[in-house]
Amino acid sequence: MANKGLLILTCLSKLSASLTLASEKIGKYLYIHYHPTEPLKYEKFNKAISSIYSCSIEMCGNIDVRVLVSTIKNQGNVLSRAKNVDLVFVDDHIENAPSDSTFAFIRQPSPLIDDSEIKYNNVVLGGTFDRLHVGHKILLSEAALRAQKRLVVGVTDVNMIASKKLPELVLPLTTRMKDVRDFLTDIDDTITYDIVSIQDPFGPTATDPNLDLIVVSEETLKGGYKVNEIRKEKNFNELAIYSIPLVEIKQVLKEKEQKVSSSNIRMDMLGTQFKQPHERPNLPKRPYIIGLIGGIASGKSKMSERFDKMGAGVIDCDKLAHSIYEPGEECFYTIINEFGNDILDDEGRIDRRKLGAIVFTDKSRLQKLNEIVWPSLLKKAKLKIKDIYDKEKRQIIILEAAVLIQAGWENECHEIWSMIIPPEVAVQRIMARNNLSEDEAKLRVSSQLENTVVVDHSNVIFSSMWSYEYSQLQAEKAWKELLTRLDIPAPSKI
């Protein structure tokens, strides 16, 4: 399997056969030079680029397909590209020993773009560009194709991604900016690139008077018109606007968008291994302990129920903690000594709602309660783990513990799985479930770890934002992958 390949495509009717062959021979990168028999207008190249990328979704799997733009502007670059790949394809056959004669049909260095087309010196576009997909590639390629001197790309900063699906999974700004630059310089190194972060929807279009054209998608076309309103107010030239159609794709799941999108990619990451677990030499290989974390009302208990049915042992630390508050327990008296008799109900038991009203309005008091409860809770959890493993022979045990990270129990688990939902959704669920006011619910949510911190500590991530069935799919995906990694068969009970 070759690492890099170059496909010289002379006819779009041969695209499917060409990509099929290339996908069998190439493992990582496939560069494509589209070489029509005569110069074409931008519109024709637009259709060709979109067709190539759209077809690659089904034909090329995980191969990174990149349509060369510099070779459209100047065919001479094709020869230099051919020297830096492992395999060269001309349409649907392999050139095993490419030589000068292989490229004899390529005319002398000259653009393949019709001379009558309008040229733009400075082109601009913007986006989040999280995990570059074919929609991004088309947008960036079309912009680079039209830019004669400079292409300005605005990449949204963290303040602009909060409204997106699963914003916690969006790659860091520096990574996204680097990915954009690397892609653009790879497909066309003949122009200057200004890759900048943007904190508002307009970015450099509102400050740079030297821009000529803005490239947008169908979704952001209205934004292009708004840009020109702002530029008119500043006496800047009006930008020509070029709009690119969305790449539609049929999705079986109703939860997903019917187009190629980063949101769908992030949703696909749910239930998969987000990052490799750390080695835990302090723990025996079995039972394999998975810490399940997440905020209140995130769906941890429902997810634990799924894994219980699949064969895991499950320990609910919240329920286990209830026993710690019971009369006769060591923690019972320590808590009363610290917080007073006012937290007791008529039967002399600790009223957790009264206690919660104290600790959720004072972080120092919450920390004090945690210092009392957490050590005893960990002892009980360890005894429960041993009991389940010895008596039920469960090789995998889920330790459902919302406080696992704060309590410093990471080393007690082989890996960490987590549930995340947006804070505003958590507030609504808490109000409905616990019969709390909005202010009380917000206090509960604000006392927890932020989702970004939860994600940072997680090996596998789930979200209950969508249907019960979609959460079930996430669980099944994670369970199947885990059993494969641990080389464990999948009987009804493990």
Side-chain angles (χ1 to χ4, degrees):
M1 183 73 72
N3 188 45
K4 293 182 180 181
L6 170 64
L7 166 61
I8 300 173
L9 184 68
T10 65
C11 182
L12 285 177
S13 65
K14 299 179 180 179
L15 177 61
S16 181
S18 300
L19 291 182
T20 299
L21 176 62
S23 66
E24 295 171 353
K25 303 296 182 182
I26 302 299
K28 193 169 184 180
Y29 293 102
L30 177 63
Y31 296 99
I32 299 178
H33 166 61
Y34 179 47
H35 190 88
T37 55
E38 60 183 8
L40 301 179
K41 290 186 177 296
Y42 282 133
E43 182 181 358
K44 294 289 187 180
F45 274 114
N46 300 341
K47 291 180 179 179
I49 290 172
S50 294
S51 295
I52 292 170
Y53 278 123
S54 297
C55 190
S56 72
I57 295 174
E58 294 185 7
M59 308 296 296
C60 295
N62 294 323
I63 299 174
D64 190 344
V65 175
R66 302 189 171 193
V67 180
L68 298 174
V69 171
S70 59
T71 59
I72 295 174
K73 295 177 177 178
N74 185 337
Q75 297 173 66
N77 289 323
V78 179
L79 302 178
S80 60
R81 280 284 181 172
K83 296 176 182 177
N84 296 308
V85 298
D86 306 309
L87 278 179
V88 174
F89 306 82
V90 177
D91 292 325
D92 55 357
H93 66 275
I94 300 174
E95 293 290 337
N96 290 313
S99 62
D100 290 344
S101 61
T102 304
F103 307 102
F105 66 95
I106 297 179
R107 299 182 297 275
Q108 290 298 313
S110 61
L112 290 170
I113 302 170
D114 192 306
D115 286 338
S116 66
E117 288 288 347
I118 299 173
K119 306 297 192 297
Y120 300 96
N121 286 329
N122 300 286
V123 178
V124 64
L125 76 159
T128 303
F129 300 109
D130 179 42
R131 296 176 174 85
L132 292 185
H133 53 67
V134 298
H136 294 141
K137 291 178 178 181
I138 292 171
L139 193 70
L140 292 167
S141 299
E142 300 280 15
L145 183 64
R146 286 162 175 75
Q148 301 302 301
K149 292 183 179 180
R150 180 174 66 121
L151 176 57
V152 182
V153 184
V155 182
T156 54
D157 210 336
V158 290
N159 66 304
M160 292 187 66
I161 64 174
S163 62
K164 294 188 174 295
K165 290 181 182 177
L166 302 169
E168 304 86 359
L169 304 188
V170 174
L171 289 170
L173 174 65
T174 53
T175 302
R176 290 180 282 125
M177 292 177 69
K178 182 179 183 302
D179 288 346
V180 169
R181 183 178 295 279
D182 289 348
F183 174 77
L184 286 170
T185 54
D186 206 17
I187 63 169
D188 185 1
D189 58 0
T190 66
I191 58 176
T192 299
Y193 295 108
D194 291 339
I195 315 297
V196 299
S197 64
I198 55 175
Q199 288 74 40
D200 61 68
F202 307 106
T205 62
T207 57
D208 190 338
N210 298 316
L211 301 173
D212 305 305
L213 169 74
I214 182 170
V215 176
V216 298
S217 69
E218 287 177 335
E219 288 182 319
T220 57
L221 180 57
K222 290 182 179 179
Y225 296 139
K226 184 63 178 177
V227 161
N228 275 334
E229 291 178 18
I230 293 174
R231 290 179 70 85
K232 185 177 180 180
E233 293 172 0
K234 296 189 174 186
N235 293 319
F236 292 172
N237 64 296
E238 183 175 308
L239 300 181
I241 300 175
Y242 176 64
S243 176
I244 295 175
L246 298 173
V247 180
E248 296 183 356
I249 184 170
K250 188 174 182 179
Q251 296 284 358
V252 176
L253 298 173
K254 65 180 184 297
E255 290 83 359
K256 289 189 173 183
E257 298 173 328
Q258 299 298 310
K259 62 175 185 177
V260 176
S261 73
S262 295
S263 295
N264 286 346
I265 293 174
R266 291 192 295 276
M267 289 179 70
D268 286 340
M269 294 170 62
L270 297 173
T272 66
Q273 193 175 68
F274 187 68
K275 63 177 71 169
Q276 289 284 341
H278 293 292
E279 293 291 332
R280 299 293 186 216
N282 59 302
L283 297 176
K285 290 185 177 181
R286 298 290 184 272
Y288 194 83
I289 304 169
I290 296 172
L292 181 62
I293 64 174
I296 185 172
S298 62
K300 296 186 301 299
S301 296
K302 285 291 185 184
M303 190 59 74
S304 291
E305 289 176 12
R306 293 183 176 96
F307 293 126
D308 177 62
K309 292 177 181 178
M310 293 177 191
V314 174
I315 298 171
D316 184 339
C317 283
D318 189 49
K319 291 180 179 178
L320 199 62
H322 286 191
S323 64
I324 291 175
Y325 293 87
E326 290 298 309
E329 291 284 337
E330 180 181 352
C331 282
F332 176 82
Y333 301 105
T334 308
I335 291 171
I336 293 174
N337 288 337
E338 178 65 34
F339 295 95
N341 291 328
D342 289 343
I343 64 172
L344 298 177
D345 62 16
D346 294 339
E347 297 180 354
R349 296 176 180 274
I350 293 174
D351 186 325
R352 296 185 72 184
R353 183 159 184 169
K354 290 180 180 179
L355 182 59
I358 296 172
V359 300
F360 288 118
T361 57
D362 186 336
K363 290 186 177 180
S364 65
R365 302 292 276 162
L366 178 60
Q367 180 60 35
K368 186 62 182 178
L369 177 64
N370 292 338
E371 289 173 358
I372 296 170
V373 172
W374 286 347
S376 294
L377 182 56
L378 180 59
K379 288 179 183 178
K380 284 183 175 290
K382 286 183 174 181
L383 290 173
K384 189 68 173 175
I385 288 171
K386 185 177 187 303
D387 186 59
I388 291 175
Y389 184 61
D390 290 345
K391 293 180 179 179
E392 302 180 31
K393 307 303 179 185
R394 305 286 185 105
Q395 295 187 51
I396 298 172
I397 295 178
I398 304 292
L399 183 66
E400 182 190 329
V403 300
L404 189 146
I405 302 301
Q406 301 96 311
W409 297 352
E410 288 178 274
N411 286 335
E412 304 297 335
C413 303
H414 292 90
E415 57 184 275
I416 309 296
W417 292 6
S418 67
M419 298 289 301
I420 58 172
I421 56 172
E424 61 273 16
V425 174
V427 168
Q428 294 301 315
R429 289 183 180 180
I430 294 168
M431 291 171 63
R433 188 187 73 180
N434 296 31
N435 196 28
L436 297 177
S437 69
E438 184 175 358
D439 287 341
E440 288 174 319
K442 286 181 177 179
L443 278 173
R444 297 289 177 96
V445 172
S446 66
S447 70
Q448 303 174 148
L449 294 177
E450 294 183 358
N451 282 346
T452 52
V453 178
V454 171
V455 167
D456 189 52
H457 287 83
S458 301
N459 303 108
V460 176
I461 300 162
F462 308 100
S463 179
S464 60
M465 267 293 293
W466 298 278
S467 66
Y468 179 91
E469 291 75 18
Y470 192 64
S471 295
Q472 179 69 25
L473 287 175
Q474 297 172 45
E476 291 172 358
K477 187 194 304 183
W479 187 252
K480 182 178 180 180
E481 185 179 279
L482 177 67
L483 296 184
T484 300
R485 282 195 283 119
L486 299 183
D487 194 23
I488 295 176
S492 57
K493 293 291 182 182
I494 293 182

